[in-house]
Amino acid sequence: MALAGPLSMHAGIGVPGDRGIALPQPPRGAQSLSLGGLPAGQAQALLAAEGDDEEELAANVQFLGTRWDLAAADLQGYSNVVASLLSHPSAEVVASAAEALGNLCAPGARFAEAVAATLSHPSHKVKWAAAYALGKFGPEALQHAKKLAAVAEDAQGSDDLSVKTRVFAMQALGQLRAADEAPLAARLLSTDASFEVQSIACLALAEMGEAGRAGEIAGKLARPGTCLAAVSSLGLLGAEVVTEHSEAIVASALCSADVQTRAEALAALAKCAGHSRAPALADRLVPLLSASEPAVRAAAGLALGGLGTAAAGAAEAVAGLLADLAEDERWLPHQVGGGAPREPMAMRKPRCAAVVALGAMHSAAHTKAIAELLEDGDWGLRFC
């Protein structure tokens, strides 16, 4: 549930769980690159802008950072050139260099010390990129957790720049599993005015393994701005935590109007399949099969399917959805406007959800009813 790199984000902060992918476009000066790799000496051509064109240099560095495969023939040489730009006088160039090194992930950890030094840069954008990179480097960057915590502590404004700084710093602390900074994450979770910061604090606590703070995280399920992050975080903490807070997860996340939140709720609840309290959870889900919203009926069916044979006693109730011709269409305006992809058929059509769920339950008694749907006019139903 990580955020995109700070310089390649389209707008705003994005949300945990965002699965959008933006394809990189070659910047000016990079048109001669080929997918087979860079010609000898191309590093200097790509990473040295003509004259004083810092904008072009920053763009070229950012592009290379999204396509390190282009430099595979001399990865160490190219990364050394990029690392040398961390001391460049332009904040844009420094930020691009830090983000590019972060995209190397673990192999870039040898530059962690140099990247961490840029956390004291006056530019917010450089701080974001440095925090992003340190989080991507993995365990070898854990030694810089205190510096990241200081960045989050210092950026206490309510303006967008300060909020983003706290978000990227807290995201990195979570990725590094910096458990010593859990009190800071808990404080931001409970007191920060920004839903984005509260959301990333939820995820950070989960990545730190703070199961003892699950109640604090579950408290954020009731707010639309933090529900997605809260249910994702509870899922990360495992079956025991999910089972303990399953009632709140069902009420707030599984019944959410947001498809991503419902999907995360399904993933979390499925972890209870082998738990002794799974049958009781199934009993709690059955009434939702007759909810007023098609999306909720579908989600309830899929949740029961996620419990597998532990929910076999609800198979007949789920089979009732096979005659449910409704479809959730709230996603259509977003999809038509290009703001969201088409929702999966089983998430919006109760009939499709029922087919998937009955299969997951191994409900042989409904084999004939499902087989007859292979002749249905709805291709999505036939597909399921």
Side-chain angles (χ1 to χ4, degrees):
M1 308 294 168
L3 299 176
L7 304 184
S8 54
M9 292 164 58
H10 292 297
I13 291 181
V15 295
D18 182 18
R19 296 175 176 85
I21 298 174
L23 297 178
Q25 298 297 320
R28 290 177 296 136
Q31 291 86 349
S32 62
L33 300 183
S34 68
L35 293 178
L38 300 179
Q42 186 67 47
Q44 287 71 26
L46 180 63
L47 300 177
E50 296 179 6
D52 297 321
D53 196 341
E54 294 173 348
E55 181 181 347
E56 180 179 347
L57 175 57
N60 286 347
V61 173
Q62 187 180 349
F63 173 68
L64 182 58
T66 64
R67 295 301 307 273
W68 277 113
D69 58 300
L70 295 174
D74 185 19
L75 188 59
Q76 182 168 334
Y78 283 97
S79 59
N80 285 339
V81 174
V82 172
S84 71
L85 297 174
L86 292 172
S87 58
H88 196 279
S90 165
E92 289 285 341
V93 173
V94 175
S96 293
E99 181 178 343
L101 292 170
N103 288 336
L104 281 171
C105 298
R110 63 195 181 94
F111 301 111
E113 192 71 39
V115 170
T118 67
L119 287 172
S120 60
H121 198 286
S123 165
H124 281 283
K125 191 173 289 188
V126 172
K127 289 183 171 71
W128 305 340
Y132 167 81
L134 291 170
K136 298 282 278 186
F137 288 158
E140 289 189 40
L142 181 59
Q143 60 182 307
H144 302 293
K146 291 294 182 187
K147 297 176 185 175
L148 287 163
V151 168
E153 291 268 26
D154 292 343
Q156 289 304 307
S158 58
D159 57 286
D160 286 346
L161 295 177
S162 296
V163 168
K164 287 184 181 180
T165 301
R166 296 199 297 280
V167 166
F168 279 107
M170 189 51 57
Q171 175 188 242
L173 289 169
Q175 290 172 321
L176 296 175
R177 292 166 173 74
D180 288 348
E181 304 304 329
L184 170 61
R187 178 159 57 81
L188 292 177
L189 176 66
S190 64
T191 65
D192 202 285
S194 164
F195 285 154
E196 288 92 345
V197 176
Q198 291 179 30
S199 293
I200 210 68
C202 278
L203 291 163
L205 287 169
E207 290 180 309
M208 292 171 186
E210 292 288 310
R213 299 183 186 273
E216 299 168 56
I217 295 172
K220 298 299 178 180
L221 287 167
R223 289 182 172 272
T226 53
C227 186
L228 173 57
V231 69
S232 300
S233 301
L234 293 172
L236 286 173
L237 289 171
E240 195 62 43
V241 166
V242 172
T243 302
E244 182 180 351
H245 298 284
S246 59
E247 186 172 352
I249 290 174
V250 170
S252 296
L254 192 69
C255 296
S256 171
D258 176 61
V259 65
Q260 279 191 327
T261 303
R262 296 198 304 276
E264 289 293 340
L266 289 170
L269 293 170
K271 295 186 177 184
C272 302
H275 198 280
S276 60
R277 285 189 277 174
L281 173 57
D283 291 341
R284 194 179 302 128
L285 290 167
V286 169
L288 293 179
L289 294 172
S290 55
S292 60
E293 292 289 343
V296 175
R297 298 198 296 274
L302 290 173
L304 286 163
L307 296 177
T309 55
E316 196 59 39
V318 171
L321 294 181
L322 293 175
D324 190 334
L325 302 179
E327 178 179 359
D328 176 48
E329 296 183 334
R330 289 174 296 183
W331 57 277
L332 272 172
H334 298 287
Q335 196 267 338
V336 171
R342 178 188 294 267
E343 285 190 11
M345 54 199 79
M347 293 291 288
R348 52 190 167 87
K349 297 183 178 182
R351 297 179 84 193
C352 292
V355 170
V356 172
L358 291 170
M361 292 176 179
H362 299 167
S363 183
H366 297 95
T367 302
K368 181 179 179 182
I370 293 173
E372 289 174 352
L373 296 177
L374 291 171
E375 304 297 324
D376 194 273
D378 182 347
W379 73 268
L381 183 61
R382 297 196 305 273
F383 179 85
C384 291

